Amino acid sequence: MFSWVFRTRLHAWISVLVLFSSWPLSVSAQDSALIAGPDTFATVVRPNGGRVLRSGGVLEVDSPLDGQDAWAIQLQSPMIGRPIRKGDAFSVCFSARTVDAGNQNSGTIHVTVSKDDPWRAIQANNGFRTLAVPNVWHDFAINFRAEQDFPADQFRASLQLAAHQQRLEIRDLKFRRHGQTPDALLPKQKLFYPGRFADLTWKQMADDRIRRHRQSDLRIRVTDTLGNPVPDCAVTIRQQKHAYAFGTFVGDVPNRNDDAGQRFRRETLRNFNRVTLPRYWADWGTDSPEGLDRSNAVARWAASTDLELKTHLLLYPRYIPKRVVANRKDASLFRKQVVTAMEDALDETRHLKCFVWDAINELRDDELVGDVLGNKFYAEVFNLANRRRPDVRWFINEYGLLTGGAKRQEYLDQYIRRIKQILADGGAVEGIGVQGHFTESLLTPQQIWEVLDRLDDFGLPIEVTEFDVDTDDEVTQAEFTEDFMTAIFAHPSTTGLTTWGFWEGDMWRPRGAMYRTNWTIKPNGKVWQKLVLDRWWTDETAVTDATGECVARVFHGDHEVTVRTKTSARSVVGRFTVTADQEARIVLDEPEQTGQAK
């Protein structure tokens, strides 16, 4: 937690350091036209909702209330006066800073290009952006691309400014149309990462936690067949696999037999020890024969590897098939169809050695299952899952806890209440999933730990189930990825971290990938490999002492121990799984030994 003094000093340092970290925006002149400038954005304020004043080229925004709609205070551009073609790009660019964030960590601005009545974003996927605004001037450049042709005079840019109590300043506001300009030539924005200016003592704390919770002493005892100690042996300890789950979500690319499919499978095995398998009971998922075949094929490939398996998911209220939703007024029939679908999914995958499974996903958005069957049905889902697959650890999963901007605290409170209620109703929740789909709003490592600390009160394993950073700013993306991974790995309650894909050719948000479409690795991918396959990976050498022993601090997981004497070129290999301080005995003249260290 930050003290008042620390926050004051932090703000002062930010003010100084940001001067040296500015990144000018760039934009192509190709088919670029100014739709609206600072003087042509209209101010729309709900009565008693706040105010916007114009002073010397700066828009001063005062949102005095918490709990009102974000759109109670808006800056709106004129309508786009020309017909819009599919693929047309638009940008909203401005500088902003927070004067007062109220009870929040930062100011908040929502940006969209959309139509009203009924509301529709010009870009369905990620067409509503939430920005965290620091207390120093920072440049923002938000790009949107039309998903289809639209007529003229329907869409406009909007900044929504009443997300919570706050005072903001905005300047140099511009809304531009760029036509079919490629993404690479659109305005670029450097992410503001507050952790860059945080007290770096957190890193020492993280290293201490990692050494304490993710490593143990492996004592190697070398003897001859009579039990006599053998000194001066060269001992090499090389890790083979992590105990911690470093995973990725995969779509159906593993099913492909082309070059991309082959490369995808190789890189998956190289970089990860777990895969999250797609199994969505939805119209576009396993409710269709084609979708079921795709899911089963991916599962068969994963089962043939040495990867740990996780399945996503059993119940996702937002995407229940339309044929079932149509029966929502018949609670008995609706229940039967939902339960049957879950039982079928569990039966279909009974041969898979899944380690974990998301039982329920994103309950905060549920306006169907709870309304029709009552909220106690959620506990039934966990108990049904446990009865059918007691060998699997069953998770609940939710978003917005790390990425919810001004609503992050509210979302966390709701999630905690939901978990408590399911447990009170007898539901066997066995793990807590935390999504992390980051865009412009990044957290400090200390803020990440605050979220995990609150969830740790349940005493259940916690995993980051879905991680990516959607940005063109690859430098900050990599910097935040390193700090985020370190903070997560260091927290003793976590058991895994899963990226939501890793190849640009098969990702929900392609800019979050670690490999580009041509398979060149990005800076964030290099960070992943540096941490998972190097810094947090055991590769040690030692020499036995007079008692025939040596000790190494190793990361938890599977290790291969090779022992070689001075007098013989022959070596003896032992394979051991380490999860706590342990002793492993190597007997010379025995060719190979395998097992759990004692």
Side-chain angles (χ1 to χ4, degrees):
M1 297 179 66
F2 293 115
S3 68
W4 179 86
V5 173
F6 178 78
R7 285 197 300 267
T8 303
R9 292 178 178 173
L10 174 61
H11 293 167
W13 273 107
I14 290 174
S15 300
V16 173
L17 293 173
V18 165
L19 294 175
F20 297 94
S21 64
S22 61
W23 183 1
L25 305 180
S26 62
V27 60
S28 167
Q30 176 186 353
D31 200 17
S32 177
L34 182 66
I35 298 172
D39 298 330
T40 51
F41 270 80
T43 299
V44 181
V45 180
R46 181 184 296 171
N48 302 316
R51 64 179 181 173
V52 178
L53 300 177
R54 298 177 185 266
S55 174
V58 175
L59 298 166
E60 299 177 353
V61 179
D62 182 10
S63 172
L65 304 175
D66 278 325
Q68 65 178 339
D69 297 321
W71 57 88
I73 304 174
Q74 292 189 63
L75 295 173
Q76 293 183 342
S77 76
M79 293 292 186
I80 300 171
R82 290 170 45 190
I84 299 169
R85 294 180 298 160
K86 180 179 179 180
D88 276 354
F90 298 85
S91 66
V92 181
C93 300
F94 57 91
S95 294
R97 69 176 177 182
T98 296
V99 178
D100 182 0
N103 295 323
Q104 303 298 322
N105 296 303
S106 66
T108 304
I109 296 178
H110 300 309
V111 182
T112 185
V113 176
S114 60
K115 62 178 293 187
D116 298 321
D117 197 25
W119 186 88
R120 177 175 185 176
I122 200 169
Q123 178 180 333
N125 185 16
N126 203 24
F128 187 87
R129 312 292 176 83
T130 299
L131 311 178
V133 182
N135 69 326
V136 294
W137 286 107
H138 186 68
D139 293 334
F140 294 91
I142 313 304
N143 299 315
F144 301 89
R145 197 174 290 278
E147 62 180 352
Q148 66 181 63
D149 292 344
F150 294 107
D153 298 321
Q154 288 194 359
F155 286 80
R156 63 186 169 203
S158 174
L159 279 66
Q160 300 179 6
L161 307 167
H164 52 86
Q165 180 185 351
Q166 60 184 358
R167 287 190 294 127
L168 310 171
E169 292 182 342
I170 300 171
R171 67 188 182 192
D172 301 327
L173 175 59
K174 294 181 178 66
F175 178 36
R176 289 186 178 272
R177 177 176 189 153
H178 303 285
Q180 302 291 310
T181 300
D183 288 347
L185 298 179
L186 293 176
K188 297 293 189 295
Q189 175 189 323
K190 185 174 179 62
L191 285 178
F192 180 79
Y193 173 39
R196 182 180 294 125
F197 312 110
D199 182 352
L200 295 183
T201 57
W202 80 268
K203 289 190 174 181
Q204 181 60 53
M205 185 183 299
D207 289 342
D208 290 344
R209 287 181 171 187
I210 289 171
R211 181 171 178 80
R212 187 163 67 252
H213 299 292
R214 305 301 176 195
Q215 293 180 277
S216 293
D217 285 340
L218 177 61
R219 182 177 298 276
I220 310 296
R221 181 168 178 260
V222 182
T223 70
D224 60 21
T225 56
L226 299 177
N228 300 311
V230 183
D232 297 324
C233 291
V235 179
T236 301
I237 306 166
R238 290 196 172 94
Q239 190 159 0
Q240 306 299 304
K241 188 176 182 179
H242 275 289
Y244 196 90
F246 291 105
T248 186
F249 176 83
V250 296
D252 60 0
V253 175
N255 296 338
R256 291 164 52 176
N257 292 319
D258 57 8
D259 290 344
Q262 295 176 15
R263 181 66 181 269
F264 187 94
R265 292 190 290 271
R266 288 201 306 272
E267 296 299 340
T268 302
L269 293 171
R270 176 188 178 192
N271 289 286
F272 309 100
N273 61 4
R274 179 195 281 182
V275 290
T276 295
L277 305 174
R279 184 166 292 271
Y280 293 90
W281 181 45
D283 291 310
W284 41 267
T286 58
D287 200 52
S288 70
E290 298 82 5
L292 182 60
D293 288 344
R294 286 195 303 269
S295 291
N296 286 341
V298 175
R300 284 194 297 272
W301 162 75
S304 70
T305 71
D306 191 38
L307 293 166
E308 186 178 282
L309 307 185
K310 175 185 177 182
T311 301
H312 180 80
L313 39 70
L314 191 59
L315 180 64
Y316 196 176
R318 185 190 298 183
Y319 291 112
I320 287 177
K322 293 178 181 177
R323 65 175 181 83
V324 179
V325 175
N327 298 319
R328 62 182 302 167
K329 293 185 178 180
D330 186 339
S332 178
L333 177 58
F334 183 85
R335 174 189 288 271
K336 180 179 179 181
Q337 290 177 313
V338 171
V339 170
T340 298
M342 292 191 295
E343 291 175 340
D344 288 347
L346 294 169
D347 290 343
E348 186 81 25
T349 58
R350 61 186 179 275
H351 63 287
L352 292 178
K353 294 182 178 179
C354 290
F355 183 74
V356 292
W357 195 317
D358 292 326
I360 306 180
N361 193 54
E362 298 179 3
L363 274 188
R364 190 173 68 246
D365 292 337
D366 181 26
E367 296 179 355
L368 175 62
V369 175
D371 288 348
V372 177
L373 302 180
N375 290 338
K376 289 189 175 182
F377 182 75
Y378 303 141
E380 295 183 38
V381 172
F382 279 93
N383 294 334
L384 166 67
N386 271 284
R387 286 196 303 271
R388 293 266 177 156
R389 290 296 302 270
D391 57 315
V392 173
R393 185 180 294 277
W394 290 95
F395 272 65
I396 189 170
N397 194 41
E398 191 56 86
Y399 74 100
L401 315 172
L402 299 171
T403 59
K407 289 184 172 290
R408 180 164 52 85
Q409 191 63 50
E410 175 186 337
Y411 291 161
L412 179 59
D413 291 341
Q414 291 176 358
Y415 194 36
I416 290 173
R417 288 196 299 270
R418 178 70 76 187
I419 297 171
K420 286 181 177 179
Q421 188 58 56
I422 294 175
L423 292 171
D425 291 336
V429 180
E430 297 177 325
I432 299 172
V434 178
Q435 297 182 24
H437 295 292
F438 290 92
T439 54
E440 288 84 6
S441 181
L442 305 182
L443 303 183
T444 66
Q446 292 92 335
Q447 290 171 322
I448 295 167
W449 281 343
E450 288 171 6
V451 173
L452 297 177
D453 285 346
R454 289 198 61 196
L455 293 174
D456 193 28
D457 289 343
F458 288 103
L460 295 171
I462 301 172
E463 293 193 356
V464 175
T465 54
E466 308 177 24
F467 172 66
D468 52 41
V469 185
D470 182 25
T471 181
D472 288 320
D473 180 2
E474 294 184 356
V475 174
T476 306
Q477 181 186 56
E479 180 183 3
F480 176 71
T481 295
E482 180 163 358
D483 286 356
F484 181 83
M485 291 179 65
T486 302
I488 296 300
F489 190 57
H491 199 281
S493 65
T494 68
T495 56
L497 190 161
T498 292
T499 68
W500 207 240
F502 68 96
W503 180 50
E504 189 179 22
D506 183 43
M507 281 198 69
W508 174 46
R509 292 179 172 173
R511 297 190 305 175
M514 297 193 292
Y515 285 87
R516 300 182 180 88
T517 303
N518 65 1
W519 289 105
T520 56
I521 192 167
K522 292 171 53 181
N524 61 332
K526 292 179 180 179
V527 163
W528 180 276
Q529 292 182 349
K530 177 180 71 174
L531 296 179
V532 176
L533 303 180
D534 185 8
R535 185 180 299 173
W536 301 335
W537 188 260
T538 304
D539 189 352
E540 299 286 342
T541 58
V543 177
T544 57
D545 60 17
T547 67
E549 294 184 352
C550 62
V551 179
R553 191 75 177 171
V554 303
F555 286 95
H556 294 166
D558 297 344
H559 294 78
E560 182 178 89
V561 178
T562 303
V563 177
R564 185 176 290 108
T565 67
K566 277 187 174 181
T567 58
S568 173
R570 182 173 167 273
S571 60
V572 176
V573 177
R575 292 180 174 86
F576 304 96
T577 298
V578 180
T579 58
D581 289 348
Q582 296 170 22
E583 179 181 291
R585 183 185 177 196
I586 300 289
V587 180
L588 296 183
D589 297 330
E590 292 185 10
E592 184 171 303
Q593 299 154 50
T594 303
Q596 185 86 17
K598 302 293 186 181

